[in-house]
Amino acid sequence: MSARPSPSARRRRRWTLPVAVLVLLAGGFGLYLFEPWKAFTSTRVDEAPPAAAAPLASPPAGTPAGGAVLPPSPSPAGPGASAGPVEGVAGAFRSGEHPTTGTARLVRLADGSTVLRLEDLRTSEGPDVRVYLSAAPAARSKLDTLGDAPVELGRLKGNLGNQNYAVPAGTDLTRVRSAVIWCARFSVGFGAADLTASAR
C-alpha cells in the first residue's frame, strides 16, 4: 500500500500552479512596463534638414521676453519672400534622468509652418519616450514638469541622430521655453534644451 501525501504536501500542490501563474503575469507586466532591453539598444535616425536655413539676426521689437522667437512668415509674393526655411532659436540639451546631448532648433518653413529639429541627439532609449515643447525652462522640464499646456510633437523617433518634428499649427511660440525629451510612462524628463531668445 502506497503512502498517501500528507495534508501539508497536498496544500503545497494546490498553491503551486496559482503562484506560478501570478509570477509569470507579474514578470510579463514588469517587462511591458519597464522594457529593460532598451537599456542595451539604440535607434539611429538621420533625417535631412528641411532645407538650408537662413540665420535669424535678432528678435522683432516688442516680442515678449523669454519665449521662443520666430519672425513672421513672409508673403510668397511680397518683398523679401523666402524660398527656404528661417532658423529661429536653438539651445543645447541638458541631461535629466538620462545623459542627453545635442541641439534643439526651431525652424520656420517657407509655407509658414514650424519644425523642431533635433541635431546630434544622444540620449537613452526608454518606454514611451516623447518630444514636447514646454512652457517651463530646461532647468525644470528636464526633471519632473512639463509646465502648463505642453505641446506634444510625437514619439521620439530614435535616441541617436538628427530628427524633424512638425509643430502643430496655431502653437503659441511666445509661451515656449524648452524642448523636452520626456518619458510619458514614468513622468520624467530625459533631457531638455532652452528655446528662448537668450539661448541663441
Side-chain angles (χ1 to χ4, degrees):
M1 226 174 134
S2 61
R4 300 175 66 182
S6 67
S8 61
R10 288 198 298 271
R11 283 195 295 271
R12 282 197 299 271
R13 288 178 185 171
R14 187 181 312 138
W15 285 104
T16 299
L17 182 59
V19 168
V21 169
L22 285 174
V23 168
L24 287 173
L25 287 174
F29 181 72
L31 288 174
Y32 162 77
L33 190 64
F34 293 99
E35 299 181 23
W37 58 89
K38 289 195 172 180
F40 308 100
T41 63
S42 288
T43 302
R44 175 171 286 279
V45 175
D46 280 311
E47 296 179 334
L56 179 62
S58 60
T63 300
V69 178
L70 284 173
S73 301
S75 167
S82 173
V86 176
E87 182 179 337
V89 292
F93 273 100
R94 304 180 186 187
S95 297
E97 286 293 318
H98 296 266
T100 301
T101 58
T103 302
R105 185 181 310 280
L106 283 173
V107 180
R108 170 155 287 158
L109 306 185
D111 64 4
S113 61
T114 304
V115 168
L116 175 72
R117 178 162 172 81
L118 307 184
E119 297 177 336
D120 300 321
L121 176 68
R122 181 173 291 275
T123 188
S124 301
E125 286 208 296
D128 200 15
V129 181
R130 299 170 184 266
V131 179
Y132 285 87
L133 295 177
S134 170
R140 290 178 54 213
S141 61
K142 72 187 176 96
L143 296 174
D144 58 2
T145 181
L146 285 171
D148 296 329
V151 179
E152 183 181 335
L153 304 185
R155 287 183 179 271
L156 185 69
K157 298 173 183 178
N159 63 309
L160 303 173
N162 305 290
Q163 302 153 37
N164 303 317
Y165 295 85
V167 177
T171 299
D172 182 2
L173 294 177
T174 64
R175 294 187 65 255
V176 170
R177 299 294 185 273
S178 61
V180 190
I181 298 173
W182 182 264
C183 178
R185 186 166 297 169
F186 295 105
S187 296
V188 294
F190 278 31
D194 281 314
L195 289 174
T196 62
S198 60
R200 292 185 304 135

